[in-house]
Amino acid sequence: MSSLDKMWLSFYAMGFMMVSMGLIHVSRTKLTNKFLKIVFAVIAYGLLIFSFFAMIYLVFNGPTGGA
């Protein structure tokens, strides 16, 4: 994976973390329908888990290339 691809993956992971934070907030405070609460929470935690593994990959894979 090139350095540019790693940069985009890190941006996606950070964006997914922000989206999951918003979804959890909506799920816990704004929604009253139990089914929608569960759906929003599952989507949010799925995005958070994906972001976690993406960041672990990026941190432990290290930089590419040399200058």
Side-chain angles (χ1 to χ4, degrees):
M1 178 177 265
S2 70
S3 296
L4 188 63
D5 292 336
K6 288 181 183 180
M7 178 195 73
W8 283 113
L9 180 60
S10 70
F11 286 159
Y12 289 140
M14 288 185 287
F16 287 161
M17 285 182 204
M18 290 189 340
V19 169
S20 67
M21 183 176 54
L23 287 175
I24 286 295
H25 173 71
V26 168
S27 170
R28 291 188 178 181
T29 61
K30 305 292 184 194
L31 294 177
T32 57
N33 187 351
K34 185 114 174 151
F35 177 73
L36 282 178
K37 278 184 158 187
I38 292 171
V39 168
F40 273 45
V42 166
I43 292 171
Y45 285 119
L47 288 175
L48 195 61
I49 290 169
F50 172 77
S51 298
F52 170 74
F53 285 121
M55 287 297 178
I56 292 296
Y57 169 74
L58 291 169
V59 167
F60 287 118
N61 197 18
T64 58

